[in-house]
Amino acid sequence: MKGKKRKIKTINIDVDKCVGCMACEVICSAFHSSPKYSSNNPARSRIRVIRDPIADIYVPVYAGEYAVAECAGRDKYIIDGKEYDECAFCRASCPSRDLFKEPDSGLPLKCDMCESDPAQEIPLCVKWCLNEALIYEEREEEIEEEVKQEDLEIGLEALANKYGLNNIKDVIERLSESKKG
Amino acid sequence: MRYAETGFNLEIDLSRGNIERVASDPMETELYLGGLGTNAKIMWDRVPPEVEAFSPDNLLIFAAGLLCGTPAPGCNRTIVTTISPQTKLLAFSMMGGFWAPELKYAGYDKIILSGKSPDLVYLWINNDTVELRDASHLQGKGAIETEKLIQQELNEPKAQVLSIGLAGENKVYFASIEQGRSSASRGGIGAVMGDKGVKAIAVRGTGDINIAQAEEFLGMCNEVLEYIKVRDAKPIPGVMPILAGLGSPQEMKTHDEKWHTESFMWGNSRHRRKGFWTEEVEKEWTETLENARKRLISCYNCPMKCGATISIEGLPTYMMKCFSKLTYTMAAMSNLDFGLKIAQRATEYGVDAFSTPQVMAFALELYENDILSDEDMKGMPESNDEKFFWLLDRIVRREGIGDALANGTYWAAKEIGKGAEDYAHNNIKKHEQMPLKLSMLNPIYFLMYCTGEKINITQIEGQFPQMPFPTREEREEFVKDWHQVPDEKFKQYFLDWELRGENSFPYYPTVQMCCDIVDWQEKMHYIDDALGMCAGLSSFPLKPPYHIHNFPKLISWGAGIEMDEAKLSKAAKRYRTLVRAINISRGMRRKDDKPPANHWKKRFPELEKELLDTYYKFKGWNRESIPTKESLQDLGLDYVSDDFQNRGIYSDSNDTLPDETSENNGKNKVEEVKNEG
Ligand code: SF4
Ligand code: SF4
Ligand code: SF4
């Protein structure tokens, strides 16, 4: 599969331009509700703004991969005289925090670049960030394509980590039994 | 299913520590929308006129507007409603920020506080878990300090916290409720919170808010954002820079303060300083602001950035917005550096940035005129700036003379006596006003000052230009894309309005036109206060993104309530009338509907009488400003007219408030300017 061209989509974040409005969270959560836009709840958003107004810290973070365990040591960063927790920049849905998890199920969330049919012109968080703290960029790159882990798989893996693989298997068996009846 | 609203209120009896989650009646939402509308209904039903501000029977209601928590940009207002200790009337100050949407996500539309807690507590709402927690360790702490401490002890950096400072705890009549970059300041609602023994309310919510017609609703939100971009790129020519764009007045962005510093009054709303804004001052103030301002910041889900983080060396960081930038500076006849420094302390204390500076300047005027003695001011420092810090400390602690001053200029003057009343000259209904003194009567503003029940001009003005544009060409240009007007006739009113000659102040706009204009302006503010919409994107600026033509759809699609312009206008009129009814039952009458006596130099008693008579009639009120039986019935407010009947309010409509209400005439030693605030 070598040498295949793929569109790389990135969102560049300019923390200096963020005004902390959370509009990005609003639109992301609304877009991912089902049916689309039928509800709104920033806790479900795949972008979260780490916000500490008094310390003047505003870091929009995108939900990335799911992490089974939290990191061992955690550092502090001092940038421009402001002290950031290392986690402030981390994209993982991780056991140490409630960020990037569905509030009811605890299932991990991941930014999917607003995948939809028809496709969105630009990611919606970018569209709603009128202050241009989020800038969308597309470029072509030759890459080695990986098999993409599907949402379902990510979800199941998380559940397995939480409840144990055997428990999950049992539940699925029971469910399929009852469906048959 | 309920849409946009959660359908639940939290009822908290502080005396007994009882907490209940109570379903609200969807029918009430249809009739009164939400926010201020349904707050007013609850106040009418449950707080009779005998109940005073500091009675346990007074309610303190925190409401998230009907559309807060939906994706509607700029819809983030918390509307706080109670009886004011200062005016003894309904106070319904509101604030922006982040608190109201969080309350919605936690699953509630309102928090209704009743009774009084025996000990200082704070309320912690974490979705379904609601508890009153001990706040004794927070006693005396600053409002912003408290917010941080609570987030830390709950280990919830995402909790939104509103709180009072020392001023609220000590029941200062102009104490505010602070929340991050925002505050609900007018009417002394912070004092009521302090009286109830509640230091703060922290909320964290992770639930959904449902939208009735999702695609349509989102489509309109996108339209609004698009319009904001277009409108931002096209400021209105010919008006003050801070009034040319959208948002609250852009004070944190602006360096050019010529208009405010040369047109508004300094000191105790006394001195106009023409020629103040020199190059030197501009350079100094620009530097001050540039050094202190860390970032421009917005409220929840809004692209505007009306606030700023202010960090001055050696002082804790705080956030500021609007005209609070200049109120302290101008009252103290000082500079911006002083203004930003004292505002830091004032914000932590939690006081209103309009009333507080005036109260302090008033005290110094009394001292200069030998009404307050050396004994009264014992310990006051020599330096002018230090005097204000000293007074502020006395007031919020209610120490010495600060105890009287903490009740505002009206009540302080009564207590001090010796002619002090003449110096409490800038009040309406006992409430300190914007420091403005002008020449020619402005009939539109006359009606707004007289009848605006929020008793704050910025909370009723907007939509219609404050002054005519000099040439017909400019006016024609202006009306071209003015689709916000409820009726085409408003364009004609504006086109024919001239700076001089027959079609100018005070007889143009005509009395009837003034009624139309003021009614439109007021209506938009009342709609905002029910929906939780920020006035900065709606009722306040010229040509805003939200208006009477798109609101009905936004409500239908968002809240699932069938709505059109007529129905919306009628709902707004319904709860607006209810607000007046509450105040009427508390003794407010025509005699209280007046501007500060010295607001304009050139007055026209006959015209003013005609303006009020006609406007009252237009509103469905009688000569005494009491809503008539017929108009109440038309609005479905029969229960109000029955009550008025029972209390004999119609028959002896000349009665007065138990206390003497005539505002003093003030000393007219002020100069005048042209524009209103
Ligand atoms: S929408 Fe933009 S400015 Fe607002 S919080 Fe998100 S990144 Fe920051
Ligand atoms: S790109 Fe789309 S999915 Fe990703 S955070 Fe932004 S709005 Fe959410
Ligand atoms: S316009 Fe300004 S005050 Fe209004 S919601 Fe937006 S940022 Fe807040």
Side-chain angles (χ1 to χ4, degrees):
Chain A
M1 299 273 268
K2 263 193 182 167
K4 200 171 177 189
K5 286 218 169 176
R6 196 172 108 174
K7 220 186 244 176
I8 303 288
K9 302 174 178 178
T10 42
I11 296 171
N12 297 322
I13 302 167
D14 184 345
V15 294
D16 287 337
K17 286 198 177 145
C18 178
V19 298
C21 66
M22 295 149 120
C24 47
E25 300 186 0
V26 169
I27 191 62
C28 181
S29 84
F31 176 74
H32 287 94
S33 68
S34 143
K36 257 192 196 98
Y37 309 121
S38 62
S39 72
N40 179 37
N41 178 4
R44 296 186 199 281
S45 169
R46 291 122 201 256
I47 176 171
R48 297 312 303 268
V49 185
I50 309 277
R51 214 173 142 266
D52 185 348
I54 292 295
D56 195 40
I57 287 174
Y58 295 86
V59 190
V61 186
Y62 285 88
E65 297 304 330
Y66 167 74
V68 183
E70 61 188 274
C71 305
R74 265 177 251 157
D75 300 319
K76 297 246 179 233
Y77 288 92
I78 298 187
I79 305 170
D80 256 353
K82 290 176 233 166
E83 193 179 291
Y84 299 83
D85 199 273
E86 185 181 357
C87 296
F89 304 106
C90 177
R91 304 180 51 180
S93 169
C94 134
S96 79
R97 55 182 187 181
D98 64 4
L99 217 58
F100 304 138
K101 286 177 195 146
E102 281 285 358
D104 340 294
S105 62
L107 287 177
L109 295 164
K110 190 179 168 210
C111 165
D112 59 7
M113 285 283 177
C114 300
E115 251 171 41
S116 67
D117 190 19
Q120 300 293 324
E121 235 170 89
I122 52 169
L124 291 179
C125 53
V126 174
K127 184 173 168 188
W128 273 50
C129 181
L130 263 45
N131 284 294
E132 298 178 340
L134 309 175
I135 299 289
Y136 181 60
E137 208 183 81
E138 258 178 24
R139 57 177 200 278
E140 302 249 298
E141 229 175 52
E142 282 193 8
I143 47 116
E144 222 172 304
E145 213 166 6
E146 276 173 55
V147 185
K148 189 173 155 251
Q149 200 186 13
E150 293 298 330
D151 280 357
L152 176 66
E153 205 178 313
I154 300 175
L156 273 178
E157 194 183 324
L159 282 176
N161 283 320
K162 193 166 173 187
Y163 301 107
L165 193 57
N166 285 335
N167 278 334
I168 303 284
K169 271 193 206 151
D170 288 350
V171 174
I172 290 175
E173 262 163 37
R174 244 189 295 123
L175 281 178
S176 41
E177 281 304 311
S178 66
K179 285 266 146 74
K180 270 184 214 158
Chain B
M1 199 190 321
R2 300 282 276 267
Y3 296 101
E5 58 178 351
T6 65
F8 290 97
N9 296 333
L10 267 182
E11 289 272 0
I12 299 180
D13 178 346
L14 295 157
S15 303
R16 296 189 299 135
N18 194 44
I19 300 173
E20 257 176 88
R21 177 172 176 264
V22 181
S24 60
D25 178 357
M27 205 43 220
E28 301 265 284
T29 312
E30 284 230 38
L31 290 171
Y32 305 93
L33 304 181
L36 170 64
T38 37
N39 282 6
K41 178 66 167 52
I42 294 169
M43 291 298 289
W44 173 271
D45 287 346
R46 291 167 54 183
V47 185
E50 303 74 40
V51 174
E52 304 216 328
F54 295 146
S55 155
D57 295 333
N58 186 14
L59 298 179
L60 179 61
I61 310 176
F62 297 85
L66 178 64
L67 297 180
C68 290
T70 73
C75 197
N76 51 42
R77 258 46 189 171
T78 306
I79 298 91
V80 192
T81 309
T82 192
I83 298 301
S84 159
Q86 189 186 40
T87 66
K88 297 174 175 287
L89 304 171
L90 193 75
F92 47 105
S93 196
M94 48 89 210
M95 63 183 164
F98 296 80
W99 195 87
E102 198 71 30
L103 184 69
K104 284 284 194 74
Y105 302 135
Y108 314 98
D109 300 319
K110 294 185 201 294
I111 300 175
I112 304 167
L113 300 181
S114 59
K116 281 190 200 197
S117 169
D119 304 301
L120 195 65
V121 290
Y122 76 89
L123 183 63
W124 167 220
I125 301 166
N126 185 7
N127 292 314
D128 291 342
T129 318
V130 183
E131 52 181 328
L132 288 165
R133 296 172 65 114
D134 173 48
S136 50
H137 58 300
L138 298 170
Q139 190 154 14
K141 292 271 189 274
I144 298 172
E145 219 183 339
T146 298
E147 181 176 331
K148 199 86 227 169
L149 288 169
I150 288 180
Q151 285 170 338
Q152 278 165 5
E153 78 179 45
L154 296 172
N155 194 19
E156 270 291 354
K158 282 188 182 297
Q160 299 297 344
V161 185
L162 59 79
S163 57
I164 53 169
L166 198 53
E169 286 180 40
N170 289 336
K171 297 189 245 182
V172 172
Y173 282 14
F174 40 92
S176 61
I177 296 172
E178 301 284 327
Q179 194 260 303
R181 68 172 291 297
S182 306
S183 56
S185 300
R186 305 290 278 159
I189 53 182
V192 177
M193 187 157 154
D195 180 63
K196 296 212 168 293
V198 177
K199 178 71 179 171
I201 306 180
V203 193
R204 175 78 182 116
T206 58
D208 297 347
I209 289 298
N210 299 313
I211 309 296
Q213 271 169 270
E215 292 280 349
E216 290 87 344
F217 187 84
L218 223 282
M220 177 160 300
C221 295
N222 279 322
E223 258 173 46
V224 163
L225 288 177
E226 278 309 310
Y227 180 82
I228 290 174
K229 283 195 250 175
V230 172
R231 177 70 177 75
D232 235 20
K234 210 181 148 195
I236 312 262
V239 301
M240 292 304 143
I242 59 157
L243 299 175
L246 294 174
S248 304
Q250 297 295 301
E251 281 297 291
M252 297 296 106
K253 221 186 270 177
T254 315
H255 288 305
D256 180 359
E257 290 293 1
K258 185 178 167 67
W259 182 51
H260 276 134
T261 56
E262 297 197 354
S263 314
F264 285 56
M265 296 290 141
W266 294 65
N268 181 24
S269 195
R270 293 290 191 196
H271 319 289
R272 185 166 173 212
R273 295 170 87 178
K274 282 182 190 159
F276 170 84
W277 193 251
T278 59
E279 242 171 68
E280 252 162 86
V281 175
E282 175 152 20
K283 189 164 166 276
E284 183 202 315
W285 288 27
T286 302
E287 230 165 78
T288 302
L289 188 62
E290 290 284 335
N291 285 335
R293 190 182 62 195
K294 293 296 162 256
R295 186 187 297 257
L296 292 172
I297 50 176
S298 76
C299 301
Y300 184 79
N301 192 21
C302 178
M304 307 308 294
K305 25 188 190 291
C306 310
T309 316
I310 304 287
S311 223
I312 301 163
E313 221 184 303
L315 292 178
T317 300
Y318 71 106
M319 289 169 265
M320 178 181 251
K321 72 273 162 193
C322 296
F323 194 44
S324 55
K325 174 182 168 190
L326 296 185
T327 49
Y328 291 97
T329 296
M330 291 179 69
M333 311 279 287
S334 186
N335 59 18
L336 184 60
D337 181 61
F338 161 80
L340 296 185
K341 282 180 179 155
I342 196 168
Q344 184 276 325
R345 196 180 293 186
T347 306
E348 288 284 12
Y349 283 151
V351 284
D352 176 28
F354 275 94
S355 290
T356 314
Q358 255 178 70
V359 171
M360 298 193 289
F362 156 85
L364 287 181
E365 234 184 31
L366 292 184
Y367 179 61
E368 279 153 23
N369 289 280
D370 295 325
I371 295 174
L372 287 179
S373 65
D374 287 331
E375 187 54 32
D376 291 324
M377 303 303 243
K378 212 169 137 196
M380 184 166 75
E382 277 297 303
S383 113
N384 176 61
D385 289 1
E386 286 304 318
K387 282 178 185 160
F388 279 79
F389 280 101
W390 181 84
L391 275 168
L392 180 61
D393 290 349
R394 299 281 89 64
I395 288 169
V396 300
R397 292 187 171 77
R398 285 189 171 274
E399 279 170 6
I401 191 65
D403 191 34
L405 295 173
N407 296 342
T409 56
Y410 174 84
W411 297 105
K414 280 180 89 72
E415 190 176 332
I416 293 163
K418 302 183 213 158
E421 274 101 336
D422 284 348
Y423 297 83
H425 69 106
N426 200 35
N427 295 337
I428 298 176
K429 302 182 173 85
K430 313 184 180 71
H431 197 38
E432 292 81 11
Q433 299 298 307
M434 188 92 100
L436 261 178
K437 299 294 160 194
L438 308 151
S439 172
M440 171 57 80
L441 177 89
N442 174 335
I444 303 171
Y445 272 75
F446 172 80
L447 281 180
M448 291 197 289
Y449 277 116
C450 287
T451 62
E453 258 149 294
K454 232 182 198 176
I455 326 181
N456 195 26
I457 195 68
T458 59
Q459 297 298 321
I460 180 169
E461 66 182 347
Q463 308 279 344
F464 202 84
Q466 294 190 6
M467 295 294 290
F469 290 4
T471 67
R472 184 137 195 126
E473 290 71 54
E474 287 167 275
R475 300 197 288 270
E476 274 167 1
E477 193 53 39
F478 179 81
V479 302
K480 264 187 198 153
D481 58 356
W482 201 12
H483 58 265
Q484 290 84 351
V485 287
D487 189 295
E488 288 297 302
K489 69 185 175 192
F490 289 94
K491 293 185 180 169
Q492 203 56 49
Y493 294 175
F494 182 69
L495 282 171
D496 296 340
W497 190 16
E498 310 261 0
L499 274 169
R500 265 163 228 94
E502 225 172 274
N503 276 4
S504 73
F505 286 158
Y507 295 107
Y508 191 96
T510 64
V511 171
Q512 191 53 50
M513 289 175 191
C514 288
C515 292
D516 288 337
I517 294 167
V518 173
D519 185 63
W520 170 30
Q521 294 181 301
E522 183 180 76
K523 179 162 76 183
M524 299 321 292
H525 280 276
Y526 273 81
I527 293 174
D528 285 347
D529 283 357
L531 304 183
M533 187 58 72
C534 173
L537 292 181
S538 180
S539 45
F540 184 77
L542 297 165
K543 300 183 181 172
Y546 294 107
H547 42 79
I548 191 65
H549 309 303
N550 62 10
F551 267 145
K553 291 182 206 135
L554 201 70
I555 297 168
S556 304
W557 294 336
I561 301 168
E562 220 177 287
M563 196 55 76
D564 56 32
E565 286 180 35
K567 199 175 162 198
L568 178 58
S569 297
K570 189 157 185 181
K573 187 172 182 186
R574 183 175 297 117
Y575 56 82
R576 192 273 168 267
T577 306
L578 198 52
V579 168
R580 172 133 305 229
I582 290 170
N583 289 334
I584 289 290
S585 74
R586 291 185 167 264
M588 190 184 79
R589 293 292 184 274
R590 182 185 186 122
K591 63 180 167 36
D592 302 300
D593 280 352
K594 58 183 180 196
N598 59 8
H599 186 82
W600 291 285
K601 209 178 221 169
K602 297 182 190 139
R603 298 288 294 265
F604 300 81
E606 268 171 46
L607 173 64
E608 291 172 19
K609 182 177 175 299
E610 195 192 337
L611 278 163
L612 273 187
D613 284 343
T614 315
Y615 187 65
Y616 285 171
K617 210 176 210 165
F618 181 91
K619 291 290 231 192
W621 307 342
N622 70 15
R623 281 192 54 253
E624 276 304 313
S625 82
I626 304 167
T628 62
K629 214 169 164 176
E630 297 71 40
S631 70
L632 288 167
Q633 273 161 1
D634 179 52
L635 295 166
L637 299 175
D638 306 59
Y639 57 88
V640 174
S641 63
D642 291 349
D643 183 86
F644 281 180
Q645 208 82 47
N646 290 341
R647 288 180 188 270
I649 282 175
Y650 287 126
S651 44
D652 84 286
S653 54
N654 284 318
D655 62 351
T656 45
L657 282 170
D659 45 84
E660 182 266 320
T661 53
S662 72
E663 307 283 339
N664 69 86
N665 289 322
K667 290 191 170 178
N668 275 303
K669 56 173 192 181
V670 288
E671 299 134 278
E672 65 282 343
V673 285
K674 277 203 189 109
N675 271 27
E676 295 285 352

